[in-house]
Amino acid sequence: MTENTDVVVVGGGYAGVMAANRLTQRDNVTVTLINPRPTFVERIRLHQLVGGSHDAVLDYRKVMSERVRLVVDTVTRIDAAARSVTLATRGTVGYDYLVYAVGSGSADPQVPGAAEFAHPIGGLEEAQRLRPVVDAAPATAAVTVVGAGATGIETAAELAEEGRTVTLVCGGVLGPSLHPRGRRSVARRLAVLGVTVLEGPDTKVTAVTRDAVRLSGGRELPSAVTIWTTGFGVPDLAARSGLSTDALGRLLTDETLTSVDDVRIVAAGDSAAPSDLPFRMSCQAAVQLGPQAAETVLSRLAGEQPAPIDVGFVSQCISLGRRAGVFQLTGRDYTAKGFYLGGRPGAKIKELICRGIPWQLAYEARKPGARTWWAKDAKRRQLTQTRRREAPATERTA
């Protein structure tokens, strides 16, 4: 009889659920997914939760294989030597292999007053706390959204469409990852919605108070509700457990997503730093990294050498309220291309993609291993090969 293998997946986001589902293709693998919440969070819809058009959660039964055992708890430590994880309320759980997929959340703001008076929305509970704050504010109250990446743009548009008075503080360029054509489309739609967009070097936030936001150019904006959308951080679980991480705290792995410290630990999603060249934190990367992390485990169980990862990007999608959006084609390294679709077509494509992600998760649950196509990024492969060639010379001069 073939010996059973216990695999623990820490984190039930996009990467964790994809990994857990993929692992069920082997009958002799028992998969346990540990997550702090009993429901799956659609992070790409958190701005809709704030705006009141979606609750951004799904029942795990809709996206995860019935063969995956869900444990609702928080992992406080990984003991690699003992091959076990310590839970906040339920003792320890042992494993043969561990998939580290703890994801990301709001970064700690390094601006005076931001932690006290600004509202982050990088996680479900943060967005849930913000919604009643917005509801309680008078309709004419000034709302300031800090950060002009996708999250900031989407949040500003969502609230403006609700009739809120919104100022979007860019701290630089509006939508820095967008092509200028796509950026102009976003700017036009925000203007139609009545969003005041502040761009340029003088728009960096230097302080936040209870009722104002101060900018580097000396300007002070009245703000009844300040929403903070700049940057993402990762949980410090790997670092607290004595595992090697990058400067942000992502688990350092090789190109098969295997921890540089322990062959039994594999990472996926926003919390992974393969070859110290982490991918852009995104759902788009997570749904590719999750299955490939599982394949690394399955290859080792089969006595085979795991394949190096292949991850690439296809597009950027930004919703601009419920009736408009921007669908921006990109290179596989996430470099924006000139082609985009805006307006209602852009909104429809964005919504199709948002609906399609749970479908992908559910499809992997029903037919684990069926999806094998990935958007490959040739530039990354060239960079990692260059690093490997240069490593001996670097070591000699160190």
Side-chain angles (χ1 to χ4, degrees), residues 28-299:
N28 63 331
V29 172
T30 300
V31 185
T32 300
L33 186 143
I34 304 173
N35 192 64
R37 307 176 194 88
T39 52
F40 176 78
V41 178
E42 291 190 85
R43 282 190 65 186
I44 56 177
R45 290 193 186 273
L46 287 179
H47 63 285
Q48 289 184 251
L49 193 162
V50 174
S53 63
H54 204 284
D55 60 9
V57 293
L58 286 171
D59 190 318
Y60 269 115
R61 288 175 297 183
K62 294 183 178 180
V63 296
M64 195 162 66
S65 169
E66 61 183 14
R67 286 193 52 208
V68 177
R69 171 178 169 246
L70 174 65
V71 173
V72 181
D73 210 326
T74 299
V75 175
T76 59
R77 186 173 181 273
I78 300 167
D79 186 337
R83 293 184 196 164
S84 69
V85 296
T86 302
L87 304 184
T89 64
R90 303 190 189 189
T92 61
V93 175
Y95 65 82
D96 295 307
Y97 285 91
L98 182 140
V99 177
Y100 187 82
V102 297
S104 62
S106 300
D108 292 332
Q110 302 298 312
V111 172
E116 294 83 4
F117 302 115
H119 300 271
I121 61 168
L124 175 65
E125 290 77 15
E126 293 169 337
Q128 288 174 331
R129 287 193 293 268
L130 175 57
R131 180 62 200 170
V133 173
V134 172
D135 285 342
T140 57
V143 177
T144 303
V145 178
V146 180
T151 303
I153 292 170
E154 291 185 323
T155 304
E158 204 78 27
L159 293 175
E161 195 172 72
E162 254 196 350
R164 294 286 173 177
T165 303
V166 181
T167 298
L168 179 61
V169 178
C170 299
V173 178
L174 173 69
S177 64
L178 291 169
H179 189 275
R181 293 177 182 174
R183 187 175 301 124
R184 287 192 291 270
S185 179
V186 169
R188 286 193 297 269
R189 180 58 184 173
L190 291 177
V192 169
L193 291 171
V195 177
T196 299
V197 178
L198 300 181
E199 292 186 87
D202 291 338
T203 63
K204 293 185 183 300
V205 175
T206 58
V208 180
T209 66
R210 189 178 302 277
D211 55 8
V213 172
R214 295 180 189 139
L215 306 183
S216 54
R219 186 174 178 182
E220 184 168 297
L221 308 174
S223 182
V225 180
T226 301
I227 303 173
W228 201 267
T229 71
T230 63
F232 290 98
V234 298
D236 64 351
L237 175 61
R240 282 190 285 111
S241 301
L243 298 170
S244 297
T245 65
D246 70 359
L248 193 65
R250 290 170 287 215
L251 185 69
L252 285 176
T253 75
D254 63 14
E255 284 294 291
T256 71
L257 298 174
T258 303
S259 166
V260 298
D261 302 308
D262 192 321
V263 73
R264 298 277 181 158
I265 299 176
V266 179
D270 291 352
S271 54
S275 302
D276 204 10
L277 292 169
F279 295 96
R280 182 182 179 87
M281 292 184 180
S282 63
C283 169
Q284 195 170 170
V287 296
Q288 298 179 67
L289 289 167
Q292 293 185 74
E295 289 294 345
T296 290
V297 174
L298 295 172
S299 293

